[in-house]
Amino acid sequence: MKKKILFKYILLLFYFIFFQSCNFHDKENNNIKPNLDSLSLWIKNSKNPKNSLIRKRQYLDKSYNFIISNKIDTVNLKKLSDVAYQTFKVKDTFLFKKRNKKVIELALKIKDSFSLGDAHWNYATYYNKIRDFEKSYYHFNEAEKYFKNYKYYVGKMLVGKAFIKGRFSDYIGSEQNIIKAIKIFKELKKDNDLLNSYTSLGVIQSDLKLYDKSLFYYQKALEYSSKVKNNSKLDLNNNIGLIYLKKGNYQKARLFFDKGLDLTLKQDKPLSYARILDNYAYCKLLIRDTLGIKEDFFKALAIRDSLKNKDGILISKIHLAEYYKFSEDTLKAKKYALDANKIANSIKNSRDYLASLKILVSLDEEKSKLYLKDYISYSDSLLNVERNYQNKFARISHDTDEYIEETERLAKQRIWVTLISLSTILIIILFYFLRVQKVKNEKLLLETEQQKSNEQIYLLTLKQQSKLEEEKLKERNRISEELHDGILGRLFGARVGLGFIEINCNEKNKKQYQLFLDELQNVEKEIRDVSHKLSDNFDNAEINFTFIIKQLVIDKSKVGDFKYSIYFDENINWYQIDEVVKVNLYRIIQEVIQNIIKYANATLVSIKFSLKNNNLVLSLSDDGIGFNIKKKKNGIGIKNIKSRVQKLNGICKISSSFNNGVEINIEIPLN
């Protein structure tokens, strides 16, 4: 509790010092009363990439408060619109909407058409970013109306509207808007905007499959790229390469892609480098030159993945699917095609979604009809969607009020659909999780029961073996008694009887007689020795357990091709050791040897049983490859060993290092 209180005081102290330093810095900057120059400086600092996100927001807050607290005129309103846009740039969506709404309210009051157009442009940019193209087009259209006296900005709005129309295959409408914008930019000599406009025209012609016309516009864009200072030439070369790729002129396409494969581009513009590298590899695939293209595909994918460029990742996976299809690796081709299909669906990329379906049709014979059906269905629905959007864009230009009502209704509907979908998904995930847990619990229960059953079977086997040994012992004692009391007694009687018989014969016969008596005596002695050996009792429990262990090691040594040494301390009274302990010791040795065979590549295995302070000690070691205990997590085998030792209230120590084998020491208390 004391530590928590101390920690809170430290946090409060840090908070006080930090914000006091910030306030001091602000006061230092505000010794002179803030003016328009100060405001311009704050806005400039909010755009400085060297400043942190928090610092940028502080500058924007100061700028906003300063503008609101002063008289609103056209100059301040333009700056307020800039503050709202920069708030969007620092990813504060809620505050951006609030401030942009304030701009529109104030602009309507003083009838500032430029600020109204700028505010609608801010909204258009925001909704374009979140892919709400209907609202984005509406605000571009509104901004164009308010910018009617500002030609350059009218051109910018035309380009924005053209982009959205192109997204929904309204290529004619898109082309018309771009051409109108080009006329404005030419009149105003805006080379950078002309470069972008001609590039857009090239893209439109490419989508219309008018490749020669597309090349014409790209060449025009190249002319303007030489007049501006940027890296647009590299992207243009990539686009031109794609046109030659679509025309089937792969060698020429390869030349244009090759121009962009510069290592400096990899550092300065990694996304452009990844795009060119991927297209270059794909071009080589089409001309059946597969040398190094797999590595290039994966390099491009890695860059795009690190930058979370979903559109790029999607293209990379489509190209990888085609590569593995060419390599006749159907499984991998299908995997990447399915990945591409999911990504395209998630980011609503219709073109590449259809492309992924097309690949899947050729890869999966079982589902080809289903994929083909989806392809046709989606293609048809896409045409309907595009027509609907084109009609909506036309209606927006004539009746914005109707559009607002419709989009608000659709927005609410989307919210409900999203909420219902999320709720359904969460319920499904919950049921799935519960099901998985139930299956796991059942599996663990089954394994526990199986383990108990195995131990019971082993105990019964030991008892059966013990009874068998007892019967053997009884039989040996019976034979010993028969030899000693029966046969030996009769032989003794016969020998004694022969000794009393007087034989009157020559010296030679007497010697022969004496030899027979001696031989009978020797036979008696041998029978007596055999009888004594048979009657010697021994610890059958010791023989049972040690025999089973030895037999286990012998059998496993043949499988694992290793030598072994086994030592049993003679002071261990196996008869007094509990059968459960024996069962677990047997299972531990079995598990260790199995691991040695699978992983260790050992040539010698040592097993030793000894006594230490009334503890039974089992030591197992091998001369195998070993492993790093710190790096390698405990596997199921090691967990089972430790679990068995813990169940017997014992201690288990495992030591190993690379190329030094493994040593396991187990101590189990004997009650």
Side-chain angles (χ1 to χ4, degrees):
M1 182 62 73
K2 288 181 179 179
K3 287 183 178 179
K4 287 184 178 179
I5 294 168
L6 182 62
F7 181 69
K8 286 180 180 178
Y9 277 118
I10 291 169
L11 280 177
L12 287 169
L13 182 62
F14 173 77
Y15 180 88
F16 177 80
I17 292 169
F18 177 78
F19 283 98
Q20 283 300 312
S21 65
C22 290
N23 291 334
F24 176 79
H25 180 73
D26 288 342
K27 286 174 184 177
E28 208 172 30
N29 290 336
N30 293 329
N31 285 333
I32 301 171
K33 189 177 179 180
N35 53 30
L36 287 176
D37 291 334
S38 301
L39 176 63
S40 299
L41 182 62
W42 294 338
I43 294 173
K44 185 179 178 181
N45 286 335
S46 73
K47 299 175 184 178
N48 190 343
K50 292 181 181 178
N51 287 326
S52 68
L53 208 62
I54 294 172
R55 199 68 185 143
K56 287 178 181 179
R57 287 175 177 172
Q58 288 173 350
Y59 282 121
L60 291 170
D61 290 343
K62 286 167 68 175
S63 302
Y64 179 80
N65 292 329
F66 175 80
I67 294 168
I68 294 298
S69 62
N70 284 277
K71 184 181 177 182
I72 300 298
D73 55 20
T74 54
V75 175
N76 279 345
L77 207 50
K78 285 179 184 178
K79 292 186 181 296
L80 186 61
S81 181
D82 194 11
V83 167
Y85 180 70
Q86 292 307 318
T87 306
F88 161 67
K89 294 281 281 185
V90 296
K91 300 177 182 178
D92 193 335
T93 304
F94 174 78
L95 210 54
F96 156 72
K97 289 181 178 180
K98 178 183 174 183
R99 289 174 177 175
N100 209 52
K101 185 180 178 182
K102 191 69 176 177
V103 172
I104 291 176
E105 288 174 5
L106 295 173
L108 286 169
K109 280 183 181 179
I110 65 171
K111 297 180 181 179
D112 184 350
S113 60
F114 182 88
S115 295
L116 281 167
D118 204 32
H120 280 289
W121 190 7
N122 289 345
Y123 275 135
T125 306
Y126 165 71
Y127 286 118
N128 190 52
K129 183 77 174 177
I130 64 171
R131 295 175 179 266
D132 191 341
F133 297 113
E134 293 176 42
K135 287 185 179 179
S136 179
Y137 187 89
Y138 163 76
H139 287 290
F140 273 127
N141 193 67
E142 289 297 295
E144 184 187 352
K145 291 177 184 177
Y146 289 113
F147 280 138
K148 63 182 177 181
N149 296 322
Y150 305 91
K151 277 190 175 182
Y152 175 67
Y153 294 100
V154 169
K156 298 290 276 186
M157 298 309 102
L158 286 168
V159 170
K161 288 165 69 175
F163 170 77
I164 295 174
K165 285 184 176 181
R167 292 282 306 204
F168 295 94
S169 302
D170 185 2
Y171 300 119
I172 295 172
S174 180
E175 185 178 26
Q176 288 172 349
N177 284 345
I178 291 288
I179 290 169
K180 287 179 184 177
I182 285 173
K183 287 179 181 178
I184 294 170
F185 296 144
K186 276 186 177 180
E187 183 182 341
L188 299 172
K189 296 181 180 179
K190 297 290 185 180
D191 293 335
N192 194 63
D193 294 289
L194 285 166
L195 161 63
N196 294 331
S197 297
Y198 278 114
T199 302
S200 297
L201 278 177
V203 172
I204 291 167
Q205 303 309 315
S206 174
D207 289 335
L208 289 168
K209 296 183 171 50
L210 300 173
Y211 300 128
D212 291 333
K213 204 171 179 181
S214 178
L215 286 171
F216 170 77
Y217 286 123
Y218 281 137
Q219 289 298 332
K220 294 287 286 184
L222 279 172
E223 292 173 17
Y224 285 101
S225 70
S226 60
K227 299 178 183 180
V228 297
K229 294 179 181 180
N230 58 31
N231 292 325
S232 57
K233 198 168 186 178
L234 294 167
D235 291 328
L236 280 168
N237 284 331
N238 177 66
N239 290 356
I240 292 169
L242 285 172
I243 295 299
Y244 281 116
L245 199 70
K246 291 174 182 178
K247 289 184 73 174
N249 192 340
Y250 303 131
Q251 294 299 339
K252 204 159 186 178
R254 187 173 175 179
L255 288 173
F256 278 94
F257 291 138
D258 197 43
K259 291 179 183 180
L261 291 176
D262 187 353
L263 290 177
T264 56
L265 178 66
K266 184 179 180 180
Q267 296 174 352
D268 299 334
K269 295 182 72 178
L271 275 180
S272 296
Y273 178 81
R275 187 186 306 117
I276 295 168
L277 181 64
D278 185 69
N279 288 333
Y280 178 79
Y282 183 64
C283 183
K284 286 179 70 177
L285 174 64
L286 292 176
I287 59 176
R288 302 299 186 258
D289 179 7
T290 58
L291 182 64
I293 67 170
K294 181 181 176 182
E295 291 76 11
D296 288 341
F297 278 137
F298 279 106
K299 279 181 188 175
L301 177 59
I303 293 169
R304 286 165 160 173
D305 191 54
S306 66
L307 297 172
K308 297 180 180 178
N309 177 232
K310 289 189 177 181
D311 288 305
I313 294 167
L314 172 56
I315 293 294
S316 285
K317 295 210 171 185
I318 287 175
H319 286 171
L320 279 168
E322 291 192 40
Y323 166 77
Y324 281 116
K325 180 184 175 183
F326 173 76
S327 303
E328 297 183 351
D329 191 340
T330 308
L331 286 175
K332 285 187 178 178
K334 187 178 174 183
K335 175 189 174 299
Y336 284 106
L338 286 169
D339 287 349
N341 185 263
K342 288 179 183 176
I343 295 169
N345 189 42
S346 67
I347 65 174
K348 299 178 183 178
N349 188 322
S350 304
R351 181 195 63 187
D352 294 327
Y353 181 79
L354 289 172
S356 62
L357 282 174
K358 194 173 181 181
I359 296 170
L360 287 167
V361 168
S362 61
L363 287 173
D364 195 335
E365 292 181 2
E366 292 181 3
K367 296 183 178 178
S368 61
K369 289 183 179 178
L370 181 63
Y371 287 130
L372 183 60
K373 185 179 178 182
D374 287 347
Y375 181 92
I376 295 168
S377 175
Y378 189 86
S379 182
D380 291 339
S381 64
L382 185 61
L383 286 172
N384 291 330
V385 168
E386 288 171 353
R387 289 193 192 100
N388 289 334
Y389 272 96
Q390 290 166 18
N391 293 332
K392 283 180 182 179
F393 296 151
R395 286 200 303 271
I396 284 168
S397 301
H398 296 91
D399 193 355
T400 54
D401 291 335
E402 184 182 337
Y403 170 77
I404 291 170
E405 291 175 6
E406 180 67 14
T407 50
E408 285 179 353
R409 187 186 66 80
L410 289 172
K412 288 179 181 178
Q413 188 179 30
R414 275 196 291 270
I415 291 169
W416 278 108
V417 169
T418 303
L419 288 172
I420 292 167
S421 300
L422 286 172
S423 301
T424 306
I425 290 167
L426 287 171
I427 290 167
I428 291 169
I429 290 170
L430 179 62
F431 277 114
Y432 175 77
F433 177 76
L434 292 172
R435 176 63 182 165
V436 168
Q437 286 298 112
K438 185 181 178 184
V439 170
K440 282 184 180 179
N441 291 337
E442 288 175 353
K443 187 177 179 181
L444 286 171
L445 186 62
L446 182 63
E447 287 177 355
T448 305
E449 292 298 325
Q450 188 175 6
Q451 187 176 350
K452 288 180 180 178
S453 299
N454 289 340
E455 291 179 359
Q456 290 297 324
I457 290 168
Y458 182 70
L459 281 170
L460 289 171
T461 304
L462 282 178
K463 288 177 181 178
Q464 188 177 12
Q465 186 71 18
S466 177
K467 286 183 180 180
L468 183 62
E469 292 298 328
E470 285 178 7
E471 292 301 322
K472 286 181 181 179
L473 184 62
K474 287 179 183 179
E475 184 63 17
R476 289 173 66 172
N477 288 335
R478 187 187 66 77
I479 293 169
S480 174
E481 288 174 1
E482 287 292 330
L483 287 172
H484 189 275
D485 298 339
I487 297 172
L488 187 62
R490 290 169 67 185
L491 282 173
F492 177 76
R495 182 172 64 80
V496 171
L498 285 171
F500 285 106
I501 297 173
E502 294 185 2
I503 300 175
N504 296 318
C505 54
N506 57 33
E507 190 67 27
K508 183 179 179 181
N509 289 337
K510 283 182 179 179
K511 286 181 179 180
Q512 190 70 29
Y513 174 74
Q514 188 61 41
L515 282 172
F516 285 138
L517 287 175
D518 292 341
E519 184 65 23
L520 281 171
Q521 192 173 7
N522 288 334
V523 170
E524 287 176 28
K525 184 180 178 183
E526 287 181 10
I527 290 172
R528 188 177 291 106
D529 290 340
V530 170
S531 175
H532 287 164
K533 287 179 181 179
L534 284 171
S535 63
D536 282 345
N537 289 325
F538 52 85
D539 191 348
N540 65 308
E542 179 181 345
I543 289 178
N544 286 343
F545 183 73
T546 56
F547 174 78
I548 288 171
I549 295 297
K550 286 177 182 177
Q551 194 61 47
L552 171 67
V553 177
I554 291 167
D555 293 341
K556 295 295 182 181
S557 67
K558 292 175 183 177
V559 177
D561 192 24
F562 59 79
K563 294 181 180 179
Y564 61 87
S565 67
I566 306 175
Y567 171 77
F568 293 93
D569 192 331
E570 61 184 10
N571 294 319
I572 300 172
N573 188 347
W574 293 104
Y575 184 77
Q576 292 181 351
I577 294 174
D578 190 86
E579 297 296 336
V580 174
V581 175
K582 294 178 188 175
V583 169
N584 283 286
L585 288 174
Y586 178 85
R587 293 298 185 199
I588 288 168
I589 294 169
Q590 189 181 46
E591 186 71 48
V592 171
I593 293 176
Q594 193 64 28
N595 284 341
I596 290 169
I597 294 169
K598 287 169 71 175
Y599 308 114
N601 296 327
T603 58
L604 177 64
V605 176
S606 175
I607 299 171
K608 181 181 178 182
F609 286 94
S610 59
L611 284 175
K612 180 183 175 183
N613 299 329
N614 201 34
N615 289 339
L616 178 62
V617 180
L618 169 61
S619 301
L620 303 105
S621 62
D622 66 72
D623 62 351
I625 60 173
F627 60 89
N628 191 331
I629 293 175
K630 292 180 180 178
K631 291 185 178 180
K632 188 172 181 181
K633 294 181 179 179
N634 290 343
I636 295 173
I638 293 175
K639 285 180 180 177
N640 286 342
I641 291 168
K642 288 183 175 180
S643 174
R644 288 181 181 277
V645 174
Q646 189 177 9
K647 189 164 62 175
L648 299 173
N649 299 319
I651 300 169
C652 177
K653 294 180 181 178
I654 302 173
S655 59
S656 178
S657 60
F658 191 66
N659 286 331
N660 286 322
V662 179
E663 186 174 346
I664 300 173
N665 287 297
I666 296 167
E667 288 189 29
I668 297 170
L670 297 177
N671 296 325

